Amino acid sequence: MRKVVKFGGSSLASAEQFKKVGDIIHADKERKFVVPSAPGKRDANDTKVTDMLYACYELAEEGKDFTKNLQAIKDRYQEIIDGLKLKLSLENEFKVIEKNFKEKAGSDYAASRGEFLNGIIMANYLGYEFIDAAEVILFADNGEYDAEITNAKLKARLEGVEAAVIPGFYGAYADGRVKTFSRGGSDITGSIVARAVKANVYENWTDVSGILVADPRIIYKPEGIETITYKELRELSYMGFNVLHEDAIFPVRREGIPINIRNTNAPEDNGTWIVESTCQKSKYVITGVAGKKGFCAVNIDKDMMNSEIGFGRKVLQAFEENGISFEHVPSGIDTMTVFVHQDEFMHKEQQVVSGIHRLAEPDRIDIEADLALIAVVGRGMKSTRGTAGRIFSALAHANVNVKMIDQGSSELNIIIGVANSDFETAIKAIYDIFVRIQI
Ligand code: ASP
């Protein structure tokens, strides 16, 4: 039995946090593969080391003096080393970093040093082997992560390795140039390592006790989610749940390895289990509710649209030609609406409108801006009657006008479009009806 444990930046922001992490790892013999992030914020006014590295490298790139900035980063690590009373010097590593910054090694290389250095400290602290992610996490020439080659290489490298630390967030191209994932990408590394060692669980340690039913910035102290499926999480992540990087699900999902989100500051909490499938019912009919503001609806009318073969394709072609992806396309007999991200669409709206006219010859096009989309997600909805009814009566009572409804055929989610200004009220109404007032 092997566990892969990934620790986020706030779990490794100081020596004190490192000690908590050490205790967590030592408390369970199965925690053999560790993926650290770079040191995060020690308090609300602090700066993440990754951000310090980006800023420092920017100076190097502009040919300006960056010594002070690099020294501040060095100090952050030294404080951790001293606090842990380690006999470790990162002097040589910093010399190499300075040289590479001067030679303009790239911002990916710069950012990756946060995890790289933290990995060296962690390996030294635990007495585990250090494996540079650049050797085992590989990217193809087009910049995409190469899952199969990485899996083969990582598996081979880890064969016979008892315990190791593999820094998160980065890998390399075949020629050795460092490449990072997008921000928060250490979550992906953890998942990749879990797949390679066929772990029985991927523990993702952060600073919250799991995933919450709704955004705490909107709902006061929302309930936590005990178990959620990969599919449900995917829907909610897309709509803004950001406990875990969106792409972190894919590697473990292939092997059916569950992810357990845990809190470094409250290790006794069970956290949230993210699983392939479960017979465990969620506590409420809905598993979670999330949403995003900033959408536009492009409403297209044409009499007899329903009998015109290829109409939808022509409309969507106009979006495609302008490089705009669409979110939802609810339709009626003579109407079709395309939901798009407002900031993406804004600059191209007239090209898209004329494109639709040219390609599909509609009667009328009308654009509605400042809309929000809300996803009500739950595996329990399938077997419960009246869910939609409860949502819409709650919204009606809260005086929220519903502009769009879209229920996926899997009955896993219901998407609702409302005005941006009604967004928070709508989330509150939905949360209350399912979680606070249970009937
Ligand atoms: N340190 C990187 C970031 O701040 C990656 C990570 O923490 O996962 O985005």
Side-chain angles (χ1 to χ4, degrees), residues 146-222:
D146 197 328
E148 294 323 307
I149 292 193
T150 297
N151 194 47
K153 193 140 189 188
L154 195 52
K155 245 169 134 171
R157 177 66 181 82
L158 293 176
E159 197 132 313
V161 172
E162 235 320 276
V165 175
I166 303 148
F169 190 39
Y170 71 95
Y173 292 105
D175 64 7
R177 261 177 317 129
V178 167
K179 164 100 179 94
T180 61
F181 291 108
S182 56
R183 294 300 301 266
S186 299
D187 286 340
I188 309 174
T189 312
S191 182
I192 291 169
V193 176
R195 178 186 172 202
V197 301
K198 291 202 190 298
N200 52 323
V201 55
Y202 166 28
E203 289 181 347
N204 188 294
W205 292 81
T206 174
D207 52 7
V208 286
S209 291
I211 305 175
L212 302 170
V213 175
D215 188 336
R217 288 167 299 185
I218 302 174
I219 304 293
Y220 179 68
K221 289 200 175 166

Side-chain angles (χ1 to χ4, degrees), residues 140 233 349 356:
L233 183 64
E349 61 168 24
I356 300 172

Side-chain angles (χ1 to χ4, degrees), residues 298-321 326 329-338 352-366:
V298 183
N299 301 313
I300 303 136
D301 287 10
K302 185 172 187 179
D303 287 342
M304 305 296 289
M305 181 193 288
N306 65 327
S307 55
E308 186 179 326
I309 292 170
F311 185 84
R313 178 183 50 76
K314 290 176 203 155
V315 167
L316 294 179
Q317 191 180 332
F319 289 87
E320 186 181 350
E321 282 177 0
F326 65 90
V329 188
S331 64
I333 301 172
D334 292 332
T335 63
M336 171 173 169
T337 301
V338 182
V352 175
V353 169
S354 58
I356 300 172
H357 275 290
R358 176 169 42 84
L359 294 158
E361 298 176 347
D363 295 336
R364 226 174 357 269
I365 297 178
D366 162 58

Side-chain angles (χ1 to χ4, degrees), residues 3-12 20-21 24-25 28 31 35 37 187 202-208 244 259-269:
K3 287 180 182 164
V4 170
V5 285
K6 179 258 165 181
F7 291 89
S10 57
S11 302
L12 300 165
K20 288 185 196 167
V21 167
I24 289 167
I25 292 171
D28 186 340
R31 294 182 176 135
V35 175
S37 280
D187 286 340
Y202 166 28
E203 289 181 347
N204 188 294
W205 292 81
T206 174
D207 52 7
V208 286
L244 192 73
I259 307 172
N260 188 197
I261 309 278
R262 302 283 292 265
N263 189 350
T264 301
N265 304 316
E268 61 290 349
D269 290 353

Side-chain angles (χ1 to χ4, degrees), residues 93-394:
E93 281 76 11
F94 271 101
K95 270 195 195 125
V96 175
I97 291 170
E98 189 175 347
K99 179 173 156 283
N100 287 334
F101 272 33
K102 282 187 182 143
E103 288 170 5
K104 308 203 169 135
S107 63
D108 276 21
Y109 166 79
S112 74
R113 297 305 87 185
E115 274 66 14
F116 174 77
L117 296 167
N118 232 18
I120 293 177
I121 299 179
M122 177 67 87
N124 188 284
Y125 180 51
L126 296 172
Y128 284 13
E129 183 176 343
F130 173 78
I131 297 176
D132 187 355
E135 285 171 31
V136 284
I137 308 276
L138 295 170
F139 286 83
D141 291 341
N142 63 5
E144 275 179 29
Y145 158 64
D146 197 328
E148 294 323 307
I149 292 193
T150 297
N151 194 47
K153 193 140 189 188
L154 195 52
K155 245 169 134 171
R157 177 66 181 82
L158 293 176
E159 197 132 313
V161 172
E162 235 320 276
V165 175
I166 303 148
F169 190 39
Y170 71 95
Y173 292 105
D175 64 7
R177 261 177 317 129
V178 167
K179 164 100 179 94
T180 61
F181 291 108
S182 56
R183 294 300 301 266
S186 299
D187 286 340
I188 309 174
T189 312
S191 182
I192 291 169
V193 176
R195 178 186 172 202
V197 301
K198 291 202 190 298
N200 52 323
V201 55
Y202 166 28
E203 289 181 347
N204 188 294
W205 292 81
T206 174
D207 52 7
V208 286
S209 291
I211 305 175
L212 302 170
V213 175
D215 188 336
R217 288 167 299 185
I218 302 174
I219 304 293
Y220 179 68
K221 289 200 175 166
E223 296 267 335
I225 300 173
E226 279 168 22
T227 312
I228 183 169
T229 63
Y230 299 138
K231 270 197 188 142
E232 289 173 307
L233 183 64
R234 185 99 185 98
E235 301 283 347
L236 291 166
S237 301
Y238 180 71
M239 280 296 184
F241 267 38
N242 57 7
V243 182
L244 192 73
H245 191 294
E246 257 196 282
D247 297 339
I249 291 174
F250 299 117
V252 284
R253 186 178 181 161
R254 300 177 68 123
E255 301 285 336
I257 300 167
I259 307 172
N260 188 197
I261 309 278
R262 302 283 292 265
N263 189 350
T264 301
N265 304 316
E268 61 290 349
D269 290 353
N270 290 330
T272 299
W273 284 88
I274 307 165
V275 299
E276 183 175 13
S277 184
T278 176
C279 63
Q280 306 215 18
K281 295 221 165 41
S282 51
K283 217 158 143 197
Y284 312 102
V285 175
I286 63 164
T287 303
V289 53
K292 269 191 205 164
K293 289 183 182 177
F295 291 93
C296 250
V298 183
N299 301 313
I300 303 136
D301 287 10
K302 185 172 187 179
D303 287 342
M304 305 296 289
M305 181 193 288
N306 65 327
S307 55
E308 186 179 326
I309 292 170
F311 185 84
R313 178 183 50 76
K314 290 176 203 155
V315 167
L316 294 179
Q317 191 180 332
F319 289 87
E320 186 181 350
E321 282 177 0
N322 285 288
I324 291 171
S325 68
F326 65 90
E327 300 302 309
H328 290 278
V329 188
S331 64
I333 301 172
D334 292 332
T335 63
M336 171 173 169
T337 301
V338 182
F339 274 82
V340 287
H341 283 280
Q342 193 157 326
D343 52 359
E344 240 180 61
F345 177 70
M346 236 157 62
H347 317 288
K348 302 231 177 113
E349 61 168 24
Q350 295 313 317
Q351 281 108 293
V352 175
V353 169
S354 58
I356 300 172
H357 275 290
R358 176 169 42 84
L359 294 158
E361 298 176 347
D363 295 336
R364 226 174 357 269
I365 297 178
D366 162 58
I367 299 173
E368 205 175 342
D370 302 324
L371 299 175
L373 291 177
I374 295 170
V376 186
V377 176
R379 58 188 183 279
M381 297 196 318
K382 200 169 182 165
S383 52
T384 317
R385 268 173 292 162
T387 310
R390 284 173 77 187
I391 295 174
F392 297 115
S393 71

